[in-house]
Amino acid sequence: MNLSRRNVIVGSIAAGAATAIPGTAQAHGRETYDLTVLGTSDMHGNVYNWDYFKDAEFDDSAHNDVGVAKLAALVNRIRGERRGKATLVLDAGDTIQGTPLAYYYAVQEPITTTGKTHPMARAMNILRYDAVTLGNHEFNYGLPLLATWIQQLGFPALAANAINVKTGKPAFQPYVIKQVSLGHGAPTLRVGILGLTNPGTAIWDKGHVEGRLTFADLVETAKKWVPEMKRKGADIVIVSAHSGDSGTSSYGPELPVENAAGLVATKVPDVDAVLFGHAHVEIAQKFYTNEVTGKQVLTSEPSKWGQRLTRMDFTLSRSRGKWAVEAARSATLNTNTVEADPVVLAAVQAQHRTTVAYVNQVVATSTEELSAAESRYRDTPIIDFINHVQTETVTAALGTGLPVLSIAAPFSRTAVFPAGDVKIRDVAGLYVYDNTLEAVELSGAEVRAYLEYSAKFFVTLAPGAPVDPASISDPAVPDYNYDILSGVDYDIDVAKPVGSRITRLERDGAAVADTDRFVVAVNNYRRSGGGNFPGIVRTQVYNEQKEIRQLLIDWAQAKGAIDPADFSVPNWRLVREGTPVF
């Protein structure tokens, strides 16, 4: 990267003021000690500062950088500054999925068969983490690959609330207690680190974990293990949780709360700090008041992909053999202020180059440019391409029976198939998730209810109000939770309230009846309950564990050409009081 260009970007290096912790004895002249805990989260397979979909150095509108190599440079700098003082490094999960690099060594050349070390294990071992918490995306490629990756790590992988169904005990190490030297002549500090993973894994990766693992409530799990950690000698306790702090869930009440980091801080005594992830947001410093002890509990979330590093600083004192946290503060440091660590880059260089070569393979020729830029609010051929391949695959597997509909979401606003050569990275940029294809049966009434739920993606447009494509969608609903159906024709009237927007629903020119029956092709994330869409969580009529992205690649390679005339069928539109919006 051009460091001189980016050195001016301060980013979020705003450390909060140190906050005294109520309920602790103040030092009053006694000697104090300091501990620094560095935290990362949601790295999602990023080692290099590289965008594999663009085949270029990563960059965004804020000029963020990504990757473990960048994080390692910051960590090494802080360790150097604190030489001889206690510094721990933790990660809050979602590590081995998210880039073509991670995908390649899970699917194309899986580490379970080649015996090669996963690039994220190589990079993280060089950085010398003290512990990593398992995120929900650690389960995406199945338990054997996860087990192999954990074996390759030089530090513990934690998940206290992932429970083995057969034994009723934690399936992974629940916690670790680190003996920490605070400097020459200082007494030893024992830091307990508890790992908590996300209950949503039971939905999102049901095919991999059902009948094998269950996922317990984060608060109740912490209430169980924190006292044991204290009995085993932990002087302070830090929770590393793959769970946001909003207190809400993206699914229904059938599972424990998805984003429970704040609840852990509030309701579990003897927790001194919480490093958390999952929500992909930057929270430099946030304190919660524990309802039991009245203590202030420090929390922080370091954004995503290695863009930020959380730094927590604790002032500690010791009296009558017991440690107390006198004050705490945290900051998030921007990785665009440093050059990537050359040791990490060298360790993963061969795997990075292999991945770059893979994603640059040409799979077909497109007759014209196809863009996803308008796919949220306009029927576009590039989304029709996904639905066509899904429909064709399910129809071929099930034969001619019920009509087959298909569901796809506009995951990316930047995906483009260029006119001419289309490469694997172009397809991967369109379908960014490692979902597999499934299918279920729905009635006409259930299809309508599904579309009504999806239509809440849009804001309500008053008659005569100007229409701005940039603000027509509700910012609270992510693009991946707006689903587009093929195989039926429908209007979404955005002048009407949520729940009453599907004003036309037809197939072959006739209105869809509530009693009509359809087979609906859908990805495994949605079919398992991701996004909490109605009616879709039911037994599959098709599930051959075929990855949708690979189906798209295979279809393009077999055809040799991507021509909208082969698959583009405009079938939906946004209207306002019956008049098309666009």
Side-chain angles (χ1 to χ4, degrees):
M1 66 167 278
N2 185 345
L3 187 63
S4 62
R5 174 173 66 84
R6 296 193 184 176
N7 265 342
V8 299
I9 303 166
V10 177
S12 299
I13 312 182
T19 296
I21 307 300
T24 62
Q26 299 302 304
H28 294 305
R30 295 194 305 275
E31 187 172 4
T32 60
Y33 307 88
D34 63 280
L35 167 70
T36 293
V37 177
L38 305 178
T40 64
S41 189
D42 295 273
M43 290 188 292
H44 284 284
N46 287 283
V47 176
Y48 274 60
N49 183 47
W50 194 257
D51 187 331
Y52 291 94
F53 303 134
K54 296 180 179 178
D55 198 25
E57 181 182 90
F58 179 89
D59 197 15
D60 61 15
S61 60
H63 301 304
N64 288 303
D65 285 353
V66 300
V68 180
K70 287 282 186 165
L71 288 166
L74 273 180
V75 169
N76 290 339
R77 187 182 75 186
I78 294 169
R79 280 175 169 153
E81 295 167 355
R82 291 182 52 76
R83 190 171 304 279
K85 297 182 179 181
T87 305
L88 299 178
V89 186
L90 310 177
D91 183 83
D94 272 8
T95 301
I96 59 172
Q97 176 276 341
T99 62
L101 175 69
Y103 168 83
Y104 189 85
Y105 289 97
V107 177
Q108 295 298 317
E109 289 188 17
I111 60 172
T112 47
T113 56
T114 66
K116 292 182 179 179
T117 301
H118 194 284
M120 291 303 290
R122 290 180 184 273
M124 295 177 76
N125 284 340
I126 292 171
L127 200 150
R128 304 196 321 276
Y129 279 84
D130 291 283
V132 59
T133 294
L134 300 184
N136 53 281
H137 282 290
E138 261 64 82
F139 298 88
N140 284 173
Y141 299 114
L143 297 180
L145 186 127
L146 174 56
T148 301
W149 176 70
I150 290 174
Q151 291 169 2
Q152 294 175 347
L153 298 177
F155 47 88
L158 310 176
N161 61 321
I163 308 301
N164 184 304
V165 169
K166 291 184 178 179
T167 67
K169 297 179 180 179
F172 306 93
Q173 186 171 334
Y175 67 86
V176 63
I177 298 177
K178 303 282 294 188
Q179 292 194 20
V180 175
S181 172
L182 297 174
H184 180 69
T188 298
L189 176 73
R190 292 167 63 87
V191 179
I193 304 160
L194 176 67
L196 300 172
T197 193
N198 202 289
T201 299
I203 291 176
W204 304 321
D205 271 299
K206 185 176 181 179
H208 292 309
V209 302
E210 187 175 28
R212 302 177 182 182
L213 301 177
T214 59
F215 297 85
D217 181 87
L218 277 74
V219 172
E220 295 307 313
T221 301
K223 285 181 177 179
K224 173 183 177 180
W225 289 104
V226 170
E228 173 172 320
M229 295 165 70
K230 298 294 283 188
R231 287 195 300 271
K232 293 287 183 67
D235 298 306
I236 69 170
V237 173
I238 297 170
V239 173
S240 175
H242 192 76
S243 178
D245 74 337
S246 67
T248 63
S249 300
S250 64
Y251 41 76
E254 68 276 9
L255 290 178
V257 175
E258 176 183 354
N259 296 300
L263 296 173
V264 171
T266 301
K267 297 183 179 298
V268 184
D270 292 324
V271 171
D272 295 285
V274 181
L275 171 73
F276 66 97
H278 182 61
H280 289 202
V281 298
E282 179 179 1
I283 299 176
Q285 175 177 285
K286 186 175 183 178
F287 284 92
Y288 284 89
T289 301
N290 187 271
E291 295 175 351
V292 180
T293 65
K295 287 178 57 176
Q296 295 292 294
V297 180
L298 175 64
T299 73
S300 180
E301 180 176 14
S303 189
K304 63 184 187 299
W305 306 345
Q307 294 176 356
R308 301 290 185 271
L309 174 72
T310 280
R311 174 173 178 164
M312 294 179 169
D313 290 296
F314 302 90
T315 301
L316 308 167
S317 67
R318 183 175 170 87
S319 176
R320 298 177 183 176
K322 292 190 175 182
W323 287 95
V325 177
E326 301 289 348
R329 67 178 180 180
S330 63
T332 47
L333 311 180
N334 197 324
T335 59
N336 70 5
T337 60
V338 294
E339 294 282 6
D341 180 68
V343 180
V344 172
L345 295 180
V348 185
Q349 184 181 63
Q351 292 172 309
H352 169 70
R353 287 177 174 173
T354 296
T355 305
V356 169
Y358 166 73
V359 300
N360 277 288
Q361 293 179 41
V362 175
V363 294
T365 300
S366 181
T367 58
E368 60 187 86
E369 181 179 284
L370 305 180
S371 171
E374 298 181 337
S375 294
R376 291 168 296 127
Y377 53 86
R378 195 192 302 272
D379 193 320
T380 57
I382 201 166
I383 302 298
D384 289 344
F385 170 63
I386 300 172
N387 275 326
H388 177 80
V389 173
Q390 292 182 167
T391 299
E392 194 174 79
T393 302
V394 171
T395 300
L398 299 182
T400 56
L402 294 177
V404 177
L405 314 184
S406 179
I407 294 171
F411 296 145
S412 171
R413 301 187 184 191
T414 59
V416 174
F417 288 178
D421 288 346
V422 175
K423 300 176 180 178
I424 286 177
R425 62 181 172 89
D426 299 317
V427 180
L430 170 65
Y431 206 100
V432 297
Y433 296 111
D434 302 327
N435 295 331
T436 57
L437 182 62
E438 301 183 2
V440 299
E441 285 191 21
L442 296 183
S443 69
E446 289 167 331
V447 169
R448 178 180 290 276
Y450 193 99
L451 286 170
E452 288 285 8
Y453 184 89
S454 183
K456 68 185 179 66
F457 177 75
F458 298 103
V459 299
T460 302
L461 291 181
V467 179
D468 178 8
S471 59
I472 198 170
S473 57
D474 184 341
V477 183
D479 292 355
Y480 59 78
N481 272 347
Y482 172 55
D483 282 354
I484 296 164
L485 268 70
S486 69
V488 289
D489 301 304
Y490 61 99
D491 289 349
I492 302 172
D493 196 325
V494 290
K496 295 187 179 299
V498 170
S500 304
R501 290 180 163 177
I502 305 303
T503 55
R504 180 177 66 97
L505 179 58
E506 300 174 346
R507 178 173 173 81
D508 297 332
V512 172
D514 287 352
T515 55
D516 287 347
R517 303 296 300 177
F518 301 97
V519 169
V520 181
V522 61
N523 68 66
N524 67 298
Y525 170 81
R526 185 70 80 234
R527 206 282 313 164
S528 296
N532 203 26
F533 277 66
I536 201 72
V537 180
R538 59 184 61 193
T539 302
Q540 309 97 313
V541 296
Y542 168 86
N543 182 13
E544 294 184 358
Q545 291 294 297
K546 291 184 177 180
E547 189 181 79
I548 294 170
R549 181 166 52 205
Q550 192 61 46
L551 288 171
L552 301 178
I553 293 169
D554 292 346
W555 189 95
Q557 286 180 317
K559 290 285 186 178
I562 298 175
D563 185 348
D566 293 333
F567 52 79
S568 181
V569 181
N571 69 298
W572 69 275
R573 59 183 183 172
L574 293 184
V575 301
R576 178 167 51 180
E577 297 184 319
T579 301
V581 174
F582 300 107

